[in-house]
């Protein structure tokens, strides 16, 4: 049985991420969506909220009825991704690849993970219709009052609006 890890900060989980989960599940028997604990980037949603959004989205996803059984959402413990991969018995990491702009970042991480533990990274080329979507731009557009609804699953829309309202309230 093949297991892959799909790591990320998922702040928030987008339709691009959902497409990746579906495609990873078509390639592997088991997909562990590993939600990073402490993203270096300035975050918006906390870990529990990010996990809940992914779980709710998967629960609401129709299509492949085995998806929910084969996809697990787990926090990525502090420490190396390759150690987590070993712990869960994953043979590879899966990452989305949108454009050349992703190359430098992804290439160096993939090479490092291969060097550290012989763990390969499988890159899935992002669907062209979703290639403009990044969590950081979605956060920025939403914070500036733009419409991001068609880039997010319903659960992420709700969580993002709530987090922005809360942030506004706090001032
Ligand atoms: O969605 P992101 O923020 O681009 O995901 C980055 C992530 C979580 C994949 C990366 O930060 C990571 O692998 N973190 C775990 C710590 C680690 O192993 N660092 C060395 C990577 S070469």
């Amino acid at each position: 049985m093949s297991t892959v890890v799909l790591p990320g900060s998922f702040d928030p989980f987008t339709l691009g991420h959902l497409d990746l989960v579906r495609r990873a599940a078509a390639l592997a028997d088991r997909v562990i969506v590993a939600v990073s604990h402490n993203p270096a980037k300035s975050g918006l949603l906390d870990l529990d909220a990010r996990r809940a959004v992914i779980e709710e989205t998967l629960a609401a996803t129709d299509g492949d009825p085995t998806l929910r059984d084969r996809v697990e959402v787990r926090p990525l413990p502090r420490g190396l991704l390759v150690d987590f991969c070993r712990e869960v018995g994953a043979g590879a990491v899966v990452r989305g690849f949108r454009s050349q702009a992703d190359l430098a970042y992804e290439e160096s991480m993939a090479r490092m993970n291969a060097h550290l533990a012989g763990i390969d990274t499988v890159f899935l080329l992002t669907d062209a219709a979703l290639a403009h979507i990044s969590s950081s731009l979605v956060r920025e557009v939403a914070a500036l009052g733009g419409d991001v609804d068609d880039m997010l699953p319903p659960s992420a829309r709700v969580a993002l609006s709530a987090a922005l309202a809360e942030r506004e309230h706090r001032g």
Side-chain angles (χ1 to χ4, degrees):
M1 168 160 156
S2 66
T3 299
V4 296
V5 168
L6 178 52
S9 38
F10 307 111
D11 186 17
F13 188 76
T14 67
L15 292 183
H17 293 135
L18 179 58
D19 186 51
L20 280 181
V21 172
R22 284 201 176 105
R23 290 164 63 195
L27 296 174
D29 299 318
R30 180 172 167 237
V31 178
I32 300 183
V33 180
V35 185
S36 71
H37 205 270
N38 204 4
K41 307 162 186 176
S42 56
L44 184 62
L45 302 176
D46 67 24
L47 178 65
D48 285 343
R50 288 179 281 134
R51 274 181 75 183
V53 163
I54 303 170
E55 269 158 8
E56 284 161 23
T57 301
L58 294 174
T61 299
D62 47 16
D64 178 356
T66 73
L67 197 70
R68 269 164 258 171
D69 301 331
R70 295 188 302 112
V71 180
E72 275 170 51
V73 186
R74 304 255 303 253
L76 182 62
R78 291 177 204 279
L80 289 174
L81 177 63
V82 291
D83 289 339
F84 179 74
C85 289
R86 282 198 192 109
E87 188 190 310
V88 298
V93 169
V94 172
R95 293 280 286 173
F97 194 83
R98 281 170 304 210
S99 67
Q100 290 292 322
D102 284 341
L103 185 63
Y105 178 56
E106 294 298 336
E107 182 184 6
S108 55
M109 284 201 299
R111 289 191 192 285
M112 182 58 78
N113 290 333
H115 171 80
L116 290 172
I119 300 256
D120 260 323
T121 301
V122 177
F123 290 106
L124 297 180
L125 190 63
T126 305
D127 185 318
L130 303 170
H132 59 291
I133 305 175
S134 71
S135 295
S136 55
L137 279 181
V138 164
R139 290 198 303 274
E140 182 176 333
V141 170
L144 296 172
D147 182 1
V148 293
D149 283 1
D150 61 356
M151 297 182 251
L152 299 175
S155 167
R157 289 179 209 154
V158 173
L160 187 65
S161 306
L164 286 172
E166 158 85 16
R167 199 165 74 172
E168 191 141 310
H169 181 71
R170 272 189 281 122

